[in-house]
Each structure stands twice: as C-alpha cells, then as structure tokens.
C-alpha cells in the first residue's frame, strides 16, 4: 500500500516529460527499504541481466555506451516504473523493448542528486516490456572509476583505468539497481586502444588476442558491487591450471613469485568449505593508487601492489579476497548493515586458510594483531559504530568500514567455533555456504539459520554464547575469545626491556622475526619515544627505508607521533606514491594534529590529490578539511 503514493508521484512526473528528454526533477523517490542505500523498487521490478557495451575514452576520461537491462516484474503492480540508481551519469536516451529486439523511445526522469545516494533514474515501463536500453556516458569524476595518466603507472607509457564498485559506486558507471540484494548476470563488450587489455569480474580468457575489442560473460548471478573493469598495459602469468596473475609487464614476475601459493590456498579452502564455484581464480595487481588492499571481484581479485613484500609475508590479503569467493560472493550481505556477514566471515576464513597453508603460529599472530587493532578501534569509535548489525540509515555506507565488521565479526565466529568445536562448526559453515549459495541474506536470516542448524541442536553449548550481545551491543562480550601468540609474548618482553635500557638493540634477535613479529614489536613500544631511541632503532634496522609497506607504515606513524625528522622525507614519498586508504588516512590524521604537521600535509596533498582515487580523495578532503 505504501508504494501507491510513490508510484503516483513517479507517474505524474513521467507524464510531464517528453520522450527521450533528460529532465531534472526535484523529487527523489522514497527509500522503501530494507536497503537504505538504493532507490531501486525491487519489490516491483527486478533486473536479471545486463548487457553492456562501452568505448573507453581515455582522452576524455569517459566510458560511453549502452546498458541493456533485462527486467522482470515481481509484483502485480503493472504500473510500477523501473527505478534505478545513478550517480553523476549523463543519460542521453532511454529505450524500451517488449520483444527484446526492437526498441521504442522511452520516458524517464532523473531526480536531483542526493550527495550520498546519487540520482534515481525513473523509467516508465510499457506493458509487457522486458528490456530497457540506456545510452549514457560517465563523467571524469565518477566516484567508482579512476583514470590514471601514464606517469601513474609502472610502465609510464600508457594510461590505465579501473573501477571500484563497492559499496555504492557501481551506480557512478552503470545505471542499475545498486543494491546487494539483487543479483544479475552480465555480458560486456569493451572497446579500447589495441595496445591495451581489458579485464572484468567475469570469464577472462588469458589468451585472448590483444586487439582492443574484448568480450566478457559473467554467467553466475552476482550483486552490482562485484561488477568490475580494468584497462591497461597488462600481462598475464599463470600460477596453476586455474589461477594466475595480471599486472603491468614490469610487475607481473614479482607478483607471480609473491602469490605462488594461491593454488594451495584455493585447495585448502575447498577442503574446508566445499568446491570453488567460480571456475578461474585470477588476480589483478593495480597501480599503487588503488585505494584498498584488495577487492574480491569474482574470478578476478583486484590487489594493491603494496602487498608485494618479496617474502610472501603479506599474502593473508590474498587469502582474504579468495575467502570472499565463499563468504560474500556466494553468500552475500543483502544490505550494507549486514556487511559483517561478508567481512567477519571472510576474516575468520582467511585465518583458517593461513593456518592450513602456513601453520598455526602464523594464523595466531594474525589473529592477535587483529584483536589489537579491534581494541584500538573500539577505543576511538562511538557506541553506535561498534555494533555488528550497524544502523547506517542516512549515512554513507563507507562509514561502516571499520575494524568492527571485520575483527569483531571474526571474533564472534571464533567464539562459536571454540564453543561448539571445530568439527561441528566447520560442518555448519559448509552447509551454510551451500544453503545460501548465490543468495543475498540479512543478519536475521543468518541468525535463524544459525539457530535451527547449530544452537537448537546443542542448547547447553548455545547458552554459553551471548548471541544477541554479539550482534546488537557495542564492545565485545566478556566471554569473547582473546587470540594470543606465544611468539608475541617474547617480542613484547623484548620491546619492554629494550625500552627500559635493559637490552641493547644489537641483542634483539630480529633475524628470525617475521613481518608479524616486527609489527607487534613496533606496536608494543610506548607511543612516546625520545629522538635517541628512535634513531637507535632506525640505524640498527633501517626502518625508514623498509620495503615492507606494513612495517614502513607503522614506523612512519611512530615517526610522526615522535616528530622524528629523519623519516619525514619518506613520509612525503610514501604519501605521494601510495593511495591505499588504510595507510594514508591515519598518516594524514596524525599530521593534521599539529599546525606544522598540517602545513606539511597540505603541501603533500596539494600535489598528491590529483593522483588519488576519488574514494581516497573524499576521505582525505574530510581529514584535512580541504576546500581547494
Ligand atoms: N571488500 C573489501 C573492500 C571494500 C569493503 C571496499 C567495503 C569498499 C567497501 C575487501 O575484501 C577488503 O576487506 N579489503 C581489505 C583487506 C582485508 C585483508 C582486511 C582492505 O582493502 O584493507
Ligand atoms: Zn573483505
């Protein structure tokens, strides 16, 4: 019933515009929920398949072409229009088709832009319409696309572009129902310069001829946030029959070396949670401006080059993105408030994969680092943001990107594992992935499955896990597990003793340390260290010059906290070449704490800003209160 008013408004608005005109209206449709981040009227009409056809116009930084949406009415409301999400798109023309072959001019309205959600595109669907064809172009500042000049690539000769759709940026390059509760299959044709290769989150043939005209098919239904495209001078190197890596030619060998355990990881995950269902698992290493560590685009994980450390020490990120092939891509969060179903499960799986491939000590270290990050984060967050089933109504879903869905989510699953025992819990998870395969689910649906398939079968054990507290309260329950690592206890002791002057640097047994032990060592030192102590560490261990991005980042943070000047140049270089938000946000935040620091930050940012991804720009603009 509540939709009638909405449809009446849409209908009246549509009557006011003539065919194929692009008219702005003042009214955005109401958000009918349950997804507060999409205007799509999914209870009436659902998009099932998308055919895409683009030209990649590097000179203009524009993708231009058509999207044909195959739609299905799912309610009796035959008047309901099709409401899509768009953000910053130039919609040129809309056509509709009944038979799927011939198209007639269609009527549409584009609502005024909401800063977070973009503009609803309302299209009148004639009786019996099955397809809608939208002729459109993106704008150079599309939030989900980064266009790189040749100078921002490793080869320096050709431009590069890539998309990042999660959470709600698919709408900035494709008009669609941009909610993870809807799944679509897609085909795409991409035309670009013949010296460039296009790849997508779909079937990619590693041997495709390089001719500038590429076709893709994703035959398994996926949510919109997993649609992805990248175009650049890419080479491919196989790692196994079904895994491989794409990267710029000068990076691909190092990447293949670093990720050579990928097939082992896939097999370990299959043993735990059932077959890998996406055929190939390839990875694409992006230029360093990629704003995330990784993105689990199906069949083609996108990765930051900053995890190529030379010693495989940061490949838990590959385990993480691979794990999403089960938790996230197969069983998907239905809305962004259920994000912890994607990330908490994935961090839990990631650690299980690490354990299977690299052993328990390594997995324990990573869990202990995770717990520490969570505790630090909980110290900073407001209560409302500490809740797994977080309320994001009216907010940018990117605000939900904290350690809470990741580490608190994983800790909750670890609590279940430890309470019910590995065997039972593994079996439960395996059946969960099968049961909800290719579906999008809410937290409530997970909870009722959990109750029926685990809790109710063992009420005595269930009584030990405060489920409601885990899901709906801030903080962590008193009974939460506390992952720890014996190796870390040693490292902590040394950190204390060195700091008190009881052990000289030369006697710290660093040669045997893993990256994780290094990180724990640095994090175990007090926030304030004097110049002498900083210099002592730096001279002994060359930390300012560390080639490991995680260690360098941790050291640079300490250097800013302690005004350790010899590291300032490296801070500038780091911020000028890397755009990974996890690193640059805390560094800019730290700089912004003092007037001199802030001035230094502004100087760096002025030059670096044009090289950052729009998502990182939005974040850092806010940190520095940037206004031009
Ligand atoms: N799916 C996320 C990345 C993401 C989440 C992008 C939300 C946009 C919105 C990806 O799987 C991820 O979690 N990446 C992490 C790495 C991970 C090891 C914690 C990252 O990029 O830091
Ligand atoms: Zn993830």
């Amino acid at each position: 019933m509540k939709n009638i008013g909405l449809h009446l408004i849409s209908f009246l608005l549509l009557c006011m515009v003539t065919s194929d005109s692009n008219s702005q209206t003042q009214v955005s449709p109401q958000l009918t929920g349950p997804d507060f981040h999409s205007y799509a009227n999914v209870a009436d009409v659902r998009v099932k398949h998308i055919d895409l056809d683009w030209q990649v116009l590097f000179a203009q930084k524009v993708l231009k072409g058509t999207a044909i949406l195959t739609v299905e009415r799912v309610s009796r409301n035959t008047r309901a229009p099709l409401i899509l999400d768009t953000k910053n798109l130039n919609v040129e023309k809309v056509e509709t088709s009944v038979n799927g072959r011939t198209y007639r001019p269609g009527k549409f309205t584009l609502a005024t832009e909401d800063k977070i959600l973009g503009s609803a595109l309302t299209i009148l669907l004639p009786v019996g319409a099955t397809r809608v064809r939208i002729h459109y172009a993106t704008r150079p500042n599309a939030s989900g696309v980064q266009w790189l000049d040749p100078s921002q690539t490793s080869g320096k000769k050709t431009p590069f572009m890539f998309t990042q759709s999660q959470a709600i940026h698919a709408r900035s390059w494709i008009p669609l129902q941009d909610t993870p509760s809807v799944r679509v299959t897609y085909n795409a044709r991409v035309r670009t310069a013949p010296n460039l290769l296009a790849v997508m989150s779909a079937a990619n043939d590693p041997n495709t001829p390089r001719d500038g005209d590429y076709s893709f098919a994703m035959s398994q239904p996926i949510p919109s946030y997993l649609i992805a495209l990248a175009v650049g001078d890419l080479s491919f190197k196989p790692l196994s029959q079904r895994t491989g890596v794409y990267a710029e030619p000068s990076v691909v060998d190092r990447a293949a070396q670093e990720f050579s355990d990928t097939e082992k990881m896939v097999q370990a995950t299959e043993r735990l949670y059932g077959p890998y269902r996406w055929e190939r698992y390839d990875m694409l290493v992006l230029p360093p401006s990629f704003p995330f560590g990784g993105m689990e685009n199906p069949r083609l994980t996108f990765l930051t080059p900053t995890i190529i450390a030379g010693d495989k020490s940061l490949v838990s990120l590959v385990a993480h993105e691979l794990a999403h092939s089960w938790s996230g891509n197969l069983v998907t969060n239905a809305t962004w408030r259920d994000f912890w179903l994607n990330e908490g499960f994935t961090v839990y799986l990631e650690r299980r994969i690490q354990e299977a491939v690299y052993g328990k000590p390594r997995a324990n270290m990573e869990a202990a680092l995770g717990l520490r990050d969570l505790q630090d984060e909980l110290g900073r967050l407001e209560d409302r943001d500490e809740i797994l089933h977080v309320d994001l109504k009216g907010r940018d879903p990117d605000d939900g990107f904290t350690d809470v869905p990741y580490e608190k989510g994983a800790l909750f699953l670890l609590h279940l594992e430890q309470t019910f025992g590995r065997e039972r819990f593994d079996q439960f998870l395996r059946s969960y992935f099968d049961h909800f395969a290719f579906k999008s689910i809410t937290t409530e649906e997970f909870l009722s499955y959990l109750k029926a398939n685990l809790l109710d079968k063992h009420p005595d054990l269930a009584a030990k896990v405060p489920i409601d507290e885990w899901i709906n309260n801030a903080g962590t329950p008193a009974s939460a597990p506390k992952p720890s690592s014996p190796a870390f206890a040693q490292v902590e002791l040394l950190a204390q003793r060195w700091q008190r002057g009881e052990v000289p640097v030369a006697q710290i047994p660093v040669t045997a340390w893993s990256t994780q032990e290094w990180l724990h060592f640095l994090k175990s030192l007090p926030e304030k260290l004097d110049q002498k102590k900083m210099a002592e560490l730096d001279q002994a261990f060359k930390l300012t010059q560390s080639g490991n991005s995680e260690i360098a980042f941790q050291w640079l943070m300490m250097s800013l906290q302690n005004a350790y000047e010899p590291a300032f140049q490296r801070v500038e270089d780091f911020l000028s070449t890397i755009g990974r938000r996890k690193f640059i946000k805390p560094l800019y935040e730290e700089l912004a704490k003092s007037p001199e620091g802030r001035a230094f930050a502004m100087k760096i940012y002025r030059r670096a800003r044009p090289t950052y991804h729009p998502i990182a720009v939005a974040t850092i603009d806010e940190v520095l209160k940037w206004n031009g």
Side-chain angles (χ1 to χ4, degrees):
M1 282 308 269
K2 66 173 186 270
N3 280 351
I4 288 179
L6 162 67
H7 296 315
L8 194 62
I9 294 173
S10 321
F11 184 71
L12 290 174
L13 288 170
L14 285 161
C15 295
M16 290 161 23
V17 295
T18 55
S19 59
D20 69 37
S21 74
N22 178 350
S23 125
Q24 291 276 338
T25 78
Q26 296 305 113
V27 192
S28 293
Q30 272 166 300
L31 293 167
T32 49
D35 185 346
F36 297 124
H37 297 104
S38 170
Y39 289 114
N41 54 335
V42 299
D44 285 325
V45 189
R46 288 201 167 221
V47 176
K48 291 287 171 187
H49 176 83
I50 308 182
D51 286 288
L52 299 154
D53 189 333
W54 297 297
Q55 307 234 39
V56 186
L57 305 174
F58 278 102
Q60 288 114 293
K61 305 192 172 182
V62 161
L63 270 183
K64 185 174 164 53
T66 54
I68 301 174
L69 312 188
T70 304
V71 299
E72 219 174 83
R73 281 198 188 281
V74 289
S75 75
R76 296 224 187 96
N77 180 0
T78 54
R79 293 262 174 83
L82 169 68
I83 306 178
L84 301 176
D85 295 296
T86 76
K87 191 174 186 181
N88 241 325
L89 294 182
N90 287 330
V91 178
E92 185 196 318
K93 179 165 84 173
V94 172
E95 300 164 308
T96 61
S97 175
V98 172
N99 59 15
R101 288 184 306 277
T102 47
Y103 286 84
R104 301 161 132 267
K107 295 183 176 175
F108 71 97
T109 61
L110 203 54
T112 28
E113 186 186 43
D114 175 273
K115 261 196 88 55
I116 297 170
L117 303 178
S119 314
L121 172 63
T122 303
I123 298 168
L124 194 65
L125 280 184
V127 178
T130 58
R131 288 198 184 171
V132 172
R133 178 158 70 192
I134 302 159
H135 299 251
Y136 75 101
T138 62
R139 298 195 193 146
N141 61 349
S143 61
V145 187
Q146 188 176 18
W147 298 88
L148 301 178
D149 292 332
S151 66
Q152 290 173 266
T153 65
S154 162
K156 313 278 178 214
K157 292 211 172 65
T158 48
F160 200 108
M161 71 83 74
F162 65 91
T163 66
Q164 166 59 42
S165 296
Q166 197 180 13
I168 57 171
H169 303 286
R171 64 189 67 176
S172 76
W173 63 289
I174 308 173
L176 42 50
Q177 295 184 318
D178 198 9
T179 165
S181 64
V182 170
R183 310 178 80 93
V184 295
T185 52
Y186 76 84
N187 294 335
R189 181 167 179 194
V190 182
R191 268 157 298 183
T192 183
N195 59 337
L196 302 178
L197 180 65
V199 288
M200 290 193 80
S201 55
N204 291 285
D205 173 4
N207 300 313
T208 189
R210 263 206 200 203
D211 56 5
D213 187 347
Y214 305 101
S215 294
F216 303 93
M218 174 38 99
S219 54
Q220 295 160 300
I222 58 167
S224 56
Y225 77 87
L226 294 177
I227 304 179
L229 165 70
V231 182
D233 179 15
L234 294 172
S235 312
F236 176 79
K237 199 154 180 180
L239 296 171
S240 69
Q241 276 285 325
R242 58 173 167 175
T243 69
V245 52
Y246 291 88
E248 285 192 72
S250 62
V251 178
V252 77
D253 287 330
R254 273 193 303 130
Q257 187 59 36
E258 199 78 10
F259 306 144
S260 63
D261 293 332
T262 304
E263 175 64 35
K264 278 190 215 158
M265 291 183 176
V266 182
Q267 289 179 13
T269 325
E270 288 188 307
R271 276 195 296 275
L272 287 164
Y273 306 116
Y276 178 75
R277 306 221 202 184
W278 304 87
E279 298 173 17
R280 293 197 57 87
Y281 181 76
D282 292 318
M283 291 160 284
L284 166 66
V285 178
L286 291 148
S289 67
F290 183 55
F292 296 101
M295 178 64 214
E296 66 270 28
N297 297 315
R299 301 183 186 211
L300 185 66
T301 280
F302 283 20
L303 294 172
T304 172
T306 62
I307 56 163
I308 305 178
D311 60 2
K312 301 187 182 177
S313 63
L314 304 178
V315 296
S316 62
L317 208 133
V318 173
H320 179 97
E321 304 312 333
L322 169 67
H324 274 305
S325 307
W326 285 260
S327 47
N329 300 3
L330 203 55
V331 182
T332 306
N333 54 207
T335 79
W336 296 114
R337 70 176 308 194
D338 309 304
F339 183 54
W340 77 276
L341 289 179
N342 275 16
E343 299 300 344
F345 277 63
T346 295
V347 171
Y348 173 81
L349 264 58
E350 166 197 333
R351 306 237 161 98
R352 294 297 302 274
I353 299 169
Q354 289 289 97
E355 180 182 325
V357 179
Y358 300 109
K360 210 165 175 98
R362 169 90 167 255
N364 280 346
M365 288 190 226
E366 285 174 354
L369 286 170
L371 177 61
R372 199 200 161 98
D373 288 345
L374 176 62
Q375 284 163 342
D376 292 350
E377 184 93 289
L378 293 176
R380 289 185 295 262
L381 291 175
E382 289 175 49
D383 276 7
R384 64 169 185 170
D385 289 328
E386 295 185 6
I387 293 167
L388 284 182
H389 198 213
V390 61
D391 182 4
L392 291 170
K393 193 173 184 179
R395 301 172 68 190
D396 189 327
D398 282 352
D399 290 355
F401 192 97
T402 70
D403 281 312
V404 170
Y406 287 82
E407 295 294 343
K408 182 175 171 181
L411 212 53
F412 171 39
L413 297 194
L414 185 63
H415 199 193
L416 291 171
E417 180 210 295
Q418 293 183 346
T419 307
F420 289 86
R422 262 209 179 167
E423 205 177 317
R424 282 193 206 105
F425 191 61
D426 285 358
Q427 204 219 320
F428 166 78
L429 276 185
R430 200 181 167 124
S431 64
Y432 165 79
F433 292 131
D434 279 342
H435 184 79
F436 291 112
F438 297 106
K439 295 210 164 61
S440 303
I441 67 165
T442 59
T443 297
E444 291 82 357
E445 284 168 284
F446 162 70
L447 289 175
S448 74
Y449 187 82
L450 176 72
K451 185 170 179 316
N453 295 281
L454 194 65
L455 307 180
D456 287 356
K457 291 187 174 160
H458 311 279
D460 48 326
L461 300 176
K464 298 183 183 170
V465 187
I467 306 284
D468 184 60
E469 203 183 326
W470 271 112
I471 301 292
N472 296 308
N473 286 14
T476 52
S479 55
K482 297 195 175 38
S484 64
S485 144
F488 276 9
Q490 288 295 312
V491 167
E492 252 163 76
L493 201 67
L494 279 161
Q496 281 166 12
R497 299 193 55 206
W498 169 75
Q499 191 255 325
R500 289 197 224 109
E502 295 163 17
V503 176
V505 260
Q507 273 173 36
I508 304 178
V510 294
T511 37
W513 277 3
S514 61
T515 295
Q516 287 66 33
E517 284 161 300
W518 265 114
L519 291 171
H520 189 66
F521 176 76
L522 296 176
K523 289 180 189 198
S524 299
L525 294 170
E527 223 182 78
K528 288 286 164 217
L529 282 179
D530 62 31
Q531 298 298 306
K532 215 174 122 255
K533 286 270 182 211
M534 289 294 289
E536 203 177 318
L537 285 180
D538 201 11
Q539 274 146 28
F541 308 127
K542 304 280 169 286
L543 291 165
T544 298
Q545 297 318 321
S546 173
N548 183 300
S549 62
E550 292 281 351
I551 294 175
F553 164 71
Q554 192 59 41
W555 174 251
L556 296 178
M557 283 297 287
M558 288 172 60
S559 299
L560 294 179
Q561 280 152 4
N562 292 294
Y564 176 64
E565 279 189 36
F568 288 6
Q569 184 58 47
R570 179 82 207 275
V571 170
E572 179 166 355
D573 297 345
F574 194 91
L575 289 173
S576 307
T577 49
I578 295 175
R580 185 174 170 190
R581 201 169 59 163
K582 171 187 165 186
F583 292 151
I584 67 173
K585 183 179 183 221
L587 286 168
Y588 279 113
E589 278 171 346
E590 194 54 45
L591 283 167
K593 286 180 183 169
S594 74
E596 317 82 72
R598 193 165 186 285
F600 186 42
M602 294 299 261
K603 176 191 140 207
I604 299 169
Y605 191 49
R606 189 162 289 119
R607 276 195 292 113
R609 191 175 183 274
T611 70
Y612 289 161
H613 188 283
I615 293 172
V617 168
T619 303
I620 308 303
D621 277 359
E622 195 162 313
V623 170
L624 295 178
K625 313 262 174 294
W626 177 268
N627 43 29

